[in-house]
Amino acid sequence: MASEAAETKKKAAKKVTKKTAKKAAKKTAKKTAKKTEKKTAKKTAKKTTKATAKRDLGVYNLVVVESPSKAKTIKKYLGKGFQVVASNGHIKDLPKSKLGVDIKEDFAIDLVPITGKKDKIERIQELAKDAQEIYLAPDMDREGEAIAFHLAEEIGKKKKIHRVVFNAVTKSAVNAAIEHPTELNSNMYNSQKTRRVLDRLVGYKISPILWDKVQRGISAGRVQSVALRLIVEREDAIKAFVPEQWFSIEGEMAKDGTAFEVKYYGEEKTKKTELVDQTLVDKIVSDVKGKKFNVVEVKKRERKQNPTPPFTTSKLQQEAANKLGFTAKRTMMVAQKLYEGVQLRDHGMQGLITYMRTDSVRTAPEALDSVREFIDKKYGKDYLPTDPIMYKKKGSNKVQDAHEAIRPTSLELTPDEVRGDLEPDQQKLYELIWNKFISSQMSQAVIDQTTVTFEAEGHFFKANGSIIKFPGFRTVYLEAAAEKASKKGGNDDDDDNDSADVKSGILPDIEEGESIPCSKNPEAIEHWTSPPPRYNEASLVKDLEEQGIGRPSTYASIISNIQDRGYVEKIENRFMPTELGIVVCRMLVDSFPDVMDVAFTARVEEQLDEIEEGKVNWKKFLKDFWSKFEVTLEKAKEEMKNLKSQLIPTGVKCLKCADGEYMIKWGRNGQFLACSNYPDCNSTQDFKKDLQGNIHILPKDWFHDPCPTCNKKLEVKKGKFGRFVRCEDYPQCDTTLPYTLPINCPECKKGKFAEKKSRYGKIFYGCTSYPDCENALWSKPYKFDCPSCGYGIMGERVTKREGHQLQCPKCKFKVDWEDTPFAKESGDHDEHPGA
């Protein structure tokens, strides 16, 4: 009986299981069918959308450029029948995770799509499928040529592909380029590949050695490391400099109500005497005191000063640094916008300048005609030379070359005409380029110079005077160096070496044979020779160019890189190497003398030019380089000093213990000061150096909350991934936390906002309850209820057009910063007043 009941139960259970399984299977089948239906519908919709889009496009040619703003401008010029798409720079590159160069296989390169560019490549391929003709129009330099080759590889239809280049983004230049397309330049691409492979070999092979010997995360670069060497060697020269004493003797005279300066010249009328002997100086001053000075020679001459060529990239960077205070990076970013196109209220989208990466000084014939007509109309015939001025590059006999100098694209778009349409930086740089170009085709300046030589008691003195008789090109533009000399009252050039150190001014009418007394007796002034100055933006760019390190288009990134890596810092607008920069530079010079050699680096640039011209085989060049470099690498691995174990004494006493001295030490986040008595004393400090090399301990940046482990203070530190907080008692208490703002997340009501860095280095603020709460903001949050929707926080926002504001992350409502309580605070946003 019991067994029958059990059997019945079993059967019933089986029935239920079968039913459940059937139900589950039905449900699964239903779900799968639904999913498949959805997928199919999505695919169909996508196909339909694509088909509709294709139908809407009609018959078209495709133009691919580098930047979206340039695409917008060009689309406007070409109109119907053309689709213009931007690649947003390079689409393929060597992989970041590995070397990507197979040395054994004849330097075969493994190019992969750049992260985030897959959709862009697919979009270009899609548009290319139905295009009648494809015009690849990236920039006209080596990098642009590489982008064009990569695009051609991805598109694949060789017959339909043309290469087009234009020096300016103007309607005439773009249409002319489309009408006269060229072919892809394999020599130019080979040159770019060679540079890329060289940089990869140097960077990826040397950097791991530096990680092992110095500090994780630092790196070496083929060109950047040589630029660092210039700065370090300049610092060495400053430290080694021994000042020497010298004197000048200066007095003052007056005639017909005009005062002028006289300065001691020498013991002979035609030979300068250097004043380094105090006894001689005292004798001269004593001899001439109260005496009349006899005029022995009055030399008058007319000097003509020539205008200088329009800007090359490096000259633009130098002048923008000197006259506008722009960094090289800022100059290039602003110039890029002016080149690609700016929206003008009366003229639409217009490219305002020609291509800004050039070392040419040539101007196109039609532009010469234009500027001459403009000068004649605005300034008159006296300001216009008889013939156009033809400039040629230093060290080159070529007046003609493929590129042009940087100039305005249209002389109708004067700086006044575009004022109000341009941002302040754009206006300033455009005016600089405009004035330089106009002045480059104007007449010479004519300057009357007078040098008067006096004699008193056998000692000779001189006075200089100059008057600008005709300003010529100086009416429009004077280079920063000449402008500085003019303001100081000195000569604009050094034609007359004998009197170059005598200040110029306006002289009265003086004749030979006259005797003039001093209104102020000559006095001795003590001087000391000065060390060479530290580099600023302009002088570093000048030296990089003169020594052939890198190319004008790379100067901005070179300067940025050595600062970003912590090798160099900018103090009072001058570049100063950090301790890390100095030691890394010395270690690289010792272990890699060729790579760090200025002449070798310059020669590499010349050979890259020769590869571009088809004179040198790129693979042979790389083989020759690698055969020597490989030997040096192995030697460096064995012989390079291990800096991690080294400490540099500073002479600064420890603030925590009685007899300790702070030593410079390297940690994974850079340099810091550590007590020599470690581990007995664990005092550490952050520091900075001034221009004299003195160490200044930085005040501690304390966090708003105590340590959750030991209740001591938490200190704010800077690391590779941004700010973090660490217990002051580290390493005894090893509590390390993310840097958080004292604001509760309005979404989960539990977490706070932690400051984080994206993989691209951009700061964002994410909830500490992640992944349970995914609330994150790109802008800095403040505890301020949105007046519109009541959301508990608003984000900081600063734009050129609308200024400083808070904006609600939810409804985008904006509040002016001045109308918030934070505007009245001290400005220390990190403490978040009102939080």
Side-chain angles (χ1 to χ4, degrees):
M1 194 82 169
S3 62
E4 262 181 52
E7 193 63 36
T8 312
K9 227 178 189 182
K10 218 177 187 183
K11 277 180 181 176
K14 250 187 187 179
K15 227 177 189 182
V16 170
T17 312
K18 237 179 185 179
K19 256 188 183 178
T20 311
K22 225 176 185 181
K23 261 186 183 178
K26 256 188 183 180
K27 216 176 186 182
T28 310
K30 218 176 187 183
K31 261 189 183 178
T32 311
K34 220 175 186 183
K35 265 187 183 176
T36 312
E37 207 176 297
K38 257 188 182 179
K39 230 178 184 179
T40 311
K42 219 175 184 183
K43 268 187 181 176
T44 311
K46 212 175 182 184
K47 274 184 183 175
T48 310
T49 309
K50 274 185 182 177
T52 311
K54 276 180 191 175
R55 213 169 40 244
D56 291 345
L57 290 175
V59 177
Y60 64 88
N61 294 322
L62 177 65
V63 179
V64 189
V65 296
E66 277 189 52
S67 79
S69 56
K70 197 199 277 190
K72 205 188 284 182
T73 313
I74 290 168
K75 173 67 181 154
K76 177 187 162 247
Y77 295 151
L78 294 174
K80 281 183 180 178
F82 281 91
Q83 288 302 312
V84 186
V85 66
S87 70
N88 292 70
H90 280 275
I91 56 163
K92 296 202 293 188
D93 196 10
L94 294 169
K96 285 190 175 182
S97 55
K98 57 179 184 175
L99 184 67
V101 179
D102 195 334
I103 297 158
K104 290 174 185 173
E105 289 298 318
D106 222 9
F107 298 93
I109 300 169
D110 176 21
L111 289 173
V112 295
I114 292 167
T115 310
K117 288 289 179 83
K118 201 180 172 195
D119 288 348
K120 180 65 71 177
I121 293 168
E122 285 174 4
R123 168 78 178 141
I124 292 167
Q125 287 170 333
E126 198 64 44
L127 284 166
K129 268 181 200 172
D130 300 299
Q132 300 294 299
E133 301 292 330
I134 300 160
Y135 298 95
L136 303 178
D139 290 346
M140 54 197 293
D141 54 13
R142 286 176 197 159
E143 296 304 314
E145 202 62 35
I147 293 168
F149 263 86
H150 298 160
L151 286 165
E153 285 165 10
E154 291 302 312
I155 292 166
K157 295 186 176 181
K158 301 290 180 203
K159 284 178 188 175
K160 297 162 73 175
I161 292 174
H162 310 284
R163 175 75 167 111
V164 292
V165 291
F166 33 80
N167 186 46
V169 187
T170 61
K171 192 168 187 175
S172 57
V174 170
N175 283 320
I178 297 292
E179 283 166 23
H180 305 97
T182 60
E183 291 180 359
L184 291 162
N185 185 331
S186 56
N187 287 334
M188 200 181 238
Y189 180 38
N190 288 340
S191 179
Q192 188 274 345
K193 272 194 291 193
T194 310
R195 182 203 61 76
R196 191 72 192 92
V197 170
L198 268 181
D199 290 350
R200 178 54 66 104
L201 291 175
V202 171
Y204 272 48
K205 293 292 183 181
I206 296 180
S207 296
I209 302 174
L210 291 177
W211 299 346
D212 186 43
K213 308 284 185 178
V214 186
Q215 170 184 316
R216 187 86 194 163
I218 63 171
S219 56
R222 181 181 63 85
V223 180
Q224 292 94 322
S225 298
V226 182
L228 171 64
R229 183 177 185 173
L230 292 184
I231 294 168
V232 170
E233 287 183 348
R234 177 63 60 91
E235 197 64 29
D236 290 341
I238 291 165
K239 284 176 182 168
F241 183 79
V242 179
E244 292 176 8
Q245 188 185 40
W246 63 281
F247 299 89
S248 64
I249 301 171
E250 296 170 23
E252 203 175 274
M253 289 181 181
K255 186 187 175 188
D256 302 333
T258 304
F260 57 95
E261 185 184 76
V262 289
K263 199 170 182 181
Y264 172 76
Y265 178 72
E267 294 301 287
E268 295 175 36
K269 183 182 157 187
T270 54
K271 191 179 176 187
K272 195 169 174 13
T273 303
E274 297 297 334
L275 293 174
V276 290
D277 181 3
Q278 178 85 55
T279 312
L280 175 61
V281 171
D282 292 342
K283 182 181 182 306
I284 296 166
V285 170
S286 171
D287 285 353
V288 302
K289 191 175 182 181
K291 301 290 188 334
K292 280 194 172 185
F293 282 62
N294 303 314
V295 179
V296 294
E297 185 181 64
V298 178
K299 199 169 155 190
K300 291 185 179 179
R301 71 184 182 110
E302 186 181 81
R303 183 169 67 84
K304 287 181 177 173
Q305 188 183 15
N306 292 317
T308 49
F311 284 130
T312 58
T313 304
S314 67
K315 287 293 179 196
L316 176 63
Q317 289 172 0
Q318 289 170 55
E319 286 290 281
N322 283 326
K323 286 187 175 241
L324 307 176
F326 285 11
T327 61
K329 188 177 182 179
R330 185 174 168 191
T331 299
M332 294 310 287
M333 281 170 69
V334 176
Q336 182 93 28
K337 291 296 284 177
L338 293 174
Y339 163 67
E340 288 176 354
V342 179
Q343 186 68 39
L344 306 176
R345 61 186 178 278
D346 297 329
H347 305 277
M349 190 69 101
Q350 292 287 340
L352 293 177
I353 62 168
T354 54
Y355 191 53
M356 67 290 153
R357 292 187 184 95
T358 176
D359 57 1
S360 170
V361 290
R362 184 179 74 85
T363 299
E366 60 273 18
L368 283 177
D369 294 342
S370 245
V371 71
R372 284 175 62 77
E373 192 182 316
F374 179 87
I375 293 164
D376 188 18
K377 207 185 236 180
K378 178 152 185 173
Y379 299 99
K381 292 208 180 295
D382 289 344
Y383 287 84
L384 187 68
T386 315
D387 299 307
I389 303 169
M390 307 300 282
Y391 294 101
K392 63 181 182 184
K393 219 162 86 177
K394 271 186 186 175
S396 166
N397 293 319
K398 288 197 293 183
V399 174
Q400 293 294 321
D401 53 49
H403 294 222
E404 268 194 83
I406 304 166
R407 62 169 176 83
T409 54
S410 167
L411 295 182
E412 287 174 22
L413 301 172
T414 65
D416 284 338
E417 177 68 21
V418 298
R419 199 178 301 282
D421 293 332
L422 304 188
E423 290 175 5
D425 278 6
Q426 293 172 348
Q427 184 72 33
K428 285 175 194 169
L429 197 69
Y430 185 56
E431 282 184 19
L432 198 73
I433 293 164
W434 175 278
N435 291 338
K436 187 73 161 74
F437 176 62
I438 302 296
S439 74
S440 72
Q441 287 298 324
M442 289 177 78
S443 302
Q444 297 170 315
V446 181
I447 299 160
D448 275 345
Q449 277 192 326
T450 306
T451 304
V452 181
T453 307
F454 299 89
E455 180 273 328
E457 302 298 312
H459 309 295
F460 292 89
F461 286 73
K462 284 194 177 187
N464 277 345
S466 63
I467 296 168
I468 296 169
K469 196 174 176 180
F470 176 68
F473 74 93
R474 291 170 69 119
T475 309
V476 177
Y477 192 88
L478 194 58
E479 286 198 355
E483 192 172 56
K484 197 174 174 185
S486 291
K487 280 178 184 171
K488 283 185 174 178
N491 295 320
D492 293 332
D493 59 22
D494 57 358
D495 288 350
D496 185 355
N497 291 324
D498 286 347
S499 57
D501 62 341
V502 181
K503 285 183 187 172
S504 293
I506 296 171
L507 293 178
D509 192 25
I510 300 172
E511 292 180 10
E512 283 182 28
E514 276 190 75
S515 288
I516 305 174
C518 280
S519 53
K520 185 181 171 186
N521 279 316
E523 289 176 357
I525 299 168
E526 182 188 45
H527 303 273
W528 291 90
T529 52
S530 302
R534 286 184 177 89
Y535 285 110
N536 59 18
E537 288 271 345
S539 58
L540 182 56
V541 165
K542 187 171 184 276
D543 259 21
L544 290 172
E545 182 185 31
E546 285 177 357
Q547 301 203 41
I549 300 165
R551 278 288 172 261
S553 56
T554 63
Y555 297 155
S557 62
I558 290 169
I559 294 168
S560 289
N561 281 339
I562 55 177
Q563 288 179 89
D564 294 344
R565 288 171 180 174
Y567 296 154
V568 168
E569 54 190 359
K570 216 176 189 184
I571 302 172
E572 293 171 28
N573 215 30
R574 297 275 169 179
F575 293 115
M576 192 171 175
T578 60
E579 287 293 339
L580 180 64
I582 291 167
V583 293
V584 167
C585 176
R586 298 225 164 103
M587 290 167 84
L588 290 175
V589 169
D590 288 344
S591 300
F592 299 96
D594 273 358
V595 172
M596 291 295 285
D597 181 52
V598 172
F600 173 80
T601 307
R603 177 67 191 132
V604 166
E605 293 298 340
E606 286 169 17
Q607 287 184 297
L608 289 174
D609 288 344
E610 286 169 5
I611 291 167
E612 187 176 325
E613 289 161 18
K615 294 176 184 174
V616 171
N617 180 282
W618 72 283
K619 288 185 178 178
K620 185 185 180 304
F621 169 76
L622 285 172
K623 276 177 192 168
D624 292 344
F625 171 81
W626 178 252
S627 61
K628 293 173 190 170
F629 184 56
E630 189 179 20
V631 176
T632 318
L633 269 175
E634 293 309 313
K635 198 178 171 192
K637 284 175 191 173
E638 298 298 320
E639 296 177 9
M640 192 184 271
K641 287 178 191 171
N642 191 328
L643 195 68
K644 285 178 180 176
S645 57
Q646 289 185 6
L647 298 171
I648 298 172
T650 63
V652 179
K653 285 185 178 178
C654 177
L655 300 177
K656 197 171 181 181
C657 68
D659 59 343
E661 176 194 352
Y662 282 123
M663 316 288 279
I664 293 173
K665 200 174 179 182
W666 276 266
R668 77 186 156 183
N669 295 318
Q671 299 164 283
F672 63 97
L673 298 179
C675 182
S676 55
N677 286 335
Y678 180 82
D680 297 327
C681 175
N682 66 353
S683 177
T684 61
Q685 304 286 343
D686 290 323
F687 72 99
K688 72 171 184 179
K689 278 189 172 185
D690 61 21
L691 283 173
Q692 285 69 46
N694 301 317
I695 284 175
H696 297 276
I697 292 172
L698 296 172
K700 298 274 188 188
D701 185 3
W702 299 114
F703 192 54
H704 41 74
D705 294 333
C707 173
T709 310
C710 67
N711 213 35
K712 287 190 177 179
K713 286 194 266 187
L714 287 169
E715 190 184 347
V716 179
K717 309 289 284 181
K718 277 185 184 171
K720 189 182 175 184
F721 301 104
R723 291 190 290 185
F724 65 97
V725 294
R726 191 176 74 187
C727 182
E728 65 171 327
D729 202 26
Y730 180 86
Q732 272 68 33
C733 173
D734 62 358
T735 302
T736 304
L737 301 164
Y739 182 89
T740 55
L741 307 178
I743 297 178
N744 290 325
C745 171
E747 296 291 330
C748 67
K749 310 282 191 292
K750 291 177 189 173
K752 289 182 177 178
F753 284 99
E755 186 180 285
K756 298 179 180 182
K757 228 183 213 182
S758 74
R759 62 178 168 181
Y760 301 111
K762 195 177 175 186
I763 297 288
F764 71 97
Y765 301 86
C767 180
T768 51
S769 295
Y770 179 84
D772 297 328
C773 176
E774 294 184 350
N775 195 13
L777 304 164
W778 285 112
S779 56
K780 193 175 196 174
Y782 282 79
K783 191 177 177 185
F784 189 82
D785 293 345
C786 172
S788 175
C789 70
Y791 195 63
I793 58 164
M794 292 186 83
E796 188 176 13
R797 177 178 184 267
V798 181
T799 63
K800 280 185 179 175
R801 184 171 289 181
E802 296 179 279
H804 200 172
Q805 296 174 320
L806 287 182
Q807 184 180 47
C808 177
K810 285 286 179 191
C811 70
K812 307 301 176 194
F813 185 80
K814 295 166 199 163
V815 178
D816 284 339
W817 181 260
E818 291 304 316
D819 298 333
T820 70
F822 312 118
K824 295 162 193 161
E825 300 292 336
S826 62
D828 187 358
H829 297 166
D830 289 343
E831 294 305 316
H832 274 262

